[in-house]
Amino acid sequence: MAYSINNTLLRSGSDTLRFSPRQQQCSSRLNPNPSSSFLSFNFSPILARNLVSASSSSSSVSRRSIRVRAKMAASEGSINGSNRMLVFVPPHPLIKHWISVLRNDQTPCPIFRNAMAELGRLLMYEASREWLPTVVGEIMSPLGPASVEFIDPREPIAVIPILRAGLALAEHASSVLPANKVYHLGVSRDEKTLLPSVYLNKLPDEFPKNSRVFLVDPMIATGGTIIAAMDLLKERGLSVQQIKVICACTAPPALSKLNEKFPGLHVYAGMIDPEVNENGFIIPGLGDAGDRSFGTE
């Protein structure tokens, strides 16, 4: 089923959204990955990803050595994608399960935090598909030579949780992202004005070239916090194609703002909910993800 929000196409594997139905669109043209549903903000065709390969000398293979034969998706040009913002909602049953646990107001704090961590791990797994650079080569297994493929250790991977609640969503990042660095960013939101304020900034002055960054924030409601974080990342040399946003739940007001300011951004969400109330909370949402993760009020 396709839905429209001010002429914006919304596609999701969930039946929980409630918008005006629109004529079904051709999914094969719009979706490069049939396993994920996504929200698309325009209808330009998706650009094919580029692969860059390079051969090297044929040195001997030992048990402790790796001979690099090719390099895939490691150049700056190879991570350039479409100029439209896409929001992916992976229809994985485990993602649906953990979202359901998080929604339940009877879920106790330790289980809520664990569910948030599991959800973050799954979403980062989906977001890293065909995005991380790899090297292929040969190693010696216990029984003989074997062709292998590793994440390229020369290409920086960073995870940036937005405090506080982002800590829980990013807690299991190291289990799926090898050799990643974690930079903390603290952003609070005024309860009356809903405007963001940065109170902790542990970002580097400039990110290394070809960095790939996972920006993690559980609830993206009005968009103020995530936009403030994106501005800080762009000031430090990152393009939107080098950033993927990971969230448990989001809503159209924030997505519209992100699309307007950061075309080409990719957002991976556990759920897209229909609205935000006057207090800036997503409805039905999960409640206050920070308070529920850490047992505070």
Side-chain angles (χ1 to χ4, degrees), residues 241-253:
Q241 288 80 19
Q242 294 174 270
I243 304 166
K244 289 199 176 183
V245 173
I246 306 295
C247 67
C249 189
T250 186

Side-chain angles (χ1 to χ4, degrees), residues 22-275:
R22 182 177 176 175
Q23 184 177 359
Q24 185 85 21
Q25 301 290 329
C26 177
S27 60
S28 62
R29 182 176 66 88
L30 293 176
N31 195 344
N33 179 6
S35 65
S36 295
S37 301
F38 62 86
L39 184 152
S40 172
F41 282 82
N42 66 49
F43 307 109
S44 59
I46 293 176
L47 300 178
R49 62 187 177 90
N50 298 318
L51 298 180
V52 178
S53 61
S55 60
S56 63
S57 61
S58 56
S59 59
S60 61
V61 178
S62 68
R63 186 180 295 269
R64 295 184 180 179
S65 68
I66 300 175
R67 177 167 57 85
V68 176
R69 288 206 318 260
K71 184 177 180 183
M72 299 173 59
S75 69
E76 183 176 354
S78 66
I79 57 175
N80 289 334
S82 170
N83 61 355
R84 58 178 173 175
M85 193 184 92
L86 299 178
V87 181
F88 295 86
V89 181
H92 197 291
L94 287 174
I95 290 178
K96 295 177 182 179
H97 170 81
W98 293 120
I99 282 288
S100 299
V101 173
L102 293 170
R103 284 204 193 277
N104 189 350
D105 66 357
Q106 299 301 309
T107 299
C109 172
I111 297 178
F112 183 93
R113 181 168 176 173
N114 179 71
M116 188 69 77
E118 288 295 323
L119 177 64
R121 181 170 65 91
L122 293 168
L123 289 173
M124 278 183 268
Y125 171 84
E126 293 289 344
S128 62
R129 188 189 302 273
E130 298 186 351
W131 192 56
L132 299 182
T134 62
V135 290
V136 295
E138 293 180 358
I139 62 170
M140 184 67 70
S141 83
L143 298 179
S147 297
V148 294
E149 188 168 355
F150 292 100
I151 301 298
D152 192 341
R154 300 166 297 182
E155 301 290 333
I157 301 172
V159 177
I160 303 175
I162 298 179
L163 310 186
R164 284 180 307 163
L167 290 173
L169 192 60
E171 188 170 345
H172 291 173
S174 61
S175 68
V176 291
L177 298 173
N180 69 86
K181 294 184 177 181
V182 179
Y183 301 101
H184 295 96
L185 182 63
V187 183
S188 61
R189 187 176 70 172
D190 187 283
E191 294 183 359
K192 294 182 178 179
T193 66
L194 304 182
L195 296 177
S197 175
V198 177
Y199 65 88
L200 178 70
N201 184 349
K202 292 296 184 179
L203 301 177
D205 292 335
E206 185 175 359
F207 282 90
K209 184 179 179 180
N210 291 335
S211 292
R212 285 160 177 80
V213 173
F214 294 85
L215 182 59
V216 182
D217 189 10
M219 310 298 289
I220 302 180
T222 61
T225 296
I226 198 69
I227 287 174
M230 286 289 300
D231 285 337
L232 290 173
L233 296 186
K234 291 199 69 177
E235 289 172 5
R236 285 156 174 78
L238 294 176
S239 68
V240 294
Q241 288 80 19
Q242 294 174 270
I243 304 166
K244 289 199 176 183
V245 173
I246 306 295
C247 67
C249 189
T250 186
L255 297 178
S256 296
K257 293 177 184 177
L258 284 172
N259 172 63
E260 181 178 352
K261 191 164 185 180
F262 304 107
L265 182 66
H266 287 188
V267 177
Y268 281 75
M271 178 58 65
I272 303 174
D273 277 349
E275 60 181 320

